[in-house]
Amino acid sequence: MFELKRDISATARPSLRVCGQVFDLLPEGAAWMPNERLLVVADLHFEKGSAFAARGVALPPYDTRTTIARLEALVAKLRPQTLVALGDSFHDGEAADRMAPDDAARLARLSRSLEWIWIAGNHDPVPPRAFGGAVKEELRVGPLTFRHEPQAAPATGEIAGHLHPCAAVRVRGRRLRRRCFASDGTRMILPAFGAYTGGLNVLDRAYDDLLPGFDFHAWMMGARTVIPVSARRLEAD
């Protein structure tokens, strides 16, 4: 029975297999490969708030700080060997210049505390070098390929971001819309991790060539756990 109440179990850590590789799906919006000690996040969009502010859209300037704090907490809890950021980590090419010095220092310390891999995204094709880590177009780990933008099916073993997936379902007459992981077992699309990132419903046409039909699940994020919901139960926006 699917329910998103307060939210099932504080210790629940549901697992998903992609091409036989095990991922624990975390309610913070990250995926954890325990066998590789590898943490995966997508679409951090550092300094999105300041980019909007520069265009006259007033947003509180704390998105970068909030996102870094969430990353710090996950790294402290899981102690990964490697962190892979799946592109669009910086909202634009000037994001690093707008970042508050304290935030920049925290991010630099964090990125240098482990093996950090920046996957190039469409917003940040050349992530800034000031924060350390390696920059790659793609990363191969066994049968998996980590990249920013998902490719048309079949893309077996692909782990991607870019689309900021979310899903909607009706439970006891109430419509719930949450960020989600989307997977058919051969690939996975991660939700956006950044504090100011929105979401695109997994039933949108943008997913038609990626997850054709309804043979996939949306792993919807609650406050303390992640719950799989069949695509056949989902609602479009």
Side-chain angles (χ1 to χ4, degrees):
M1 175 67 68
F2 173 77
E3 294 184 347
L4 278 179
K5 44 187 182 183
R6 247 199 205 118
D7 241 338
I8 307 270
S9 165
T11 59
R13 189 183 287 176
S15 293
L16 165 68
R17 288 182 180 270
V18 179
C19 295
Q21 306 301 298
V22 176
F23 289 87
D24 292 345
L25 304 184
L26 309 179
E28 293 89 346
W32 169 238
M33 293 185 73
N35 294 339
E36 301 286 341
R37 301 207 61 77
L38 186 150
L39 183 65
V40 192
V41 293
D43 298 281
L44 302 171
H45 281 273
F46 291 132
E47 293 304 308
K48 182 174 183 177
S50 62
F52 273 70
R55 298 199 298 269
V57 181
L59 288 175
Y62 307 121
D63 56 310
T64 293
R65 190 167 308 166
T66 299
T67 301
I68 292 172
R70 293 171 61 216
L71 284 171
E72 288 172 334
L74 277 179
V75 168
K77 178 170 70 173
L78 298 171
R79 300 193 178 278
Q81 243 176 9
T82 306
L83 187 147
V84 178
L86 291 175
D88 285 3
S89 299
F90 299 85
H91 189 67
D92 56 38
E94 291 74 46
D97 296 331
R98 297 194 306 272
M99 195 177 292
D102 287 351
D103 294 340
R106 287 174 67 185
L107 180 57
R109 283 195 301 270
L110 184 62
S111 65
R112 292 185 172 111
S113 69
L114 71 167
E115 181 185 16
W116 191 294
I117 298 171
W118 305 100
I119 301 296
N122 56 293
H123 280 254
D124 57 351
V126 185
R129 301 284 184 174
F131 299 107
V135 178
K136 298 179 181 291
E137 289 291 327
E138 296 182 349
L139 173 70
R140 295 294 302 271
V141 177
L144 304 178
T145 300
F146 296 81
R147 61 169 62 103
H148 175 60
E149 190 166 351
Q151 298 182 357
T156 304
E158 179 184 83
I159 310 297
H162 181 61
L163 290 175
H164 304 197
C166 69
V169 68
R170 194 164 296 275
V171 180
R172 298 176 184 170
R174 180 186 171 206
R175 190 175 190 270
L176 299 172
R177 190 180 191 273
R178 300 289 175 86
R179 291 185 297 152
C180 72
F181 303 81
S183 179
D184 61 1
T186 70
R187 73 189 311 164
M188 176 169 58
I189 305 173
L190 272 72
F193 191 89
Y196 281 174
T197 49
L200 180 66
N201 192 300
V202 291
L203 298 185
D204 187 272
R205 290 182 179 177
Y207 296 90
D208 286 353
D209 292 335
L210 310 176
L211 298 164
F214 290 93
D215 191 22
F216 70 93
H217 280 71
W219 295 72
M220 297 178 69
M221 295 163 51
R224 295 193 234 172
T225 192
V226 179
I227 301 173
V229 184
S230 168
R232 298 183 185 279
R233 293 197 56 193
L234 301 177
E235 292 188 349
D237 286 342

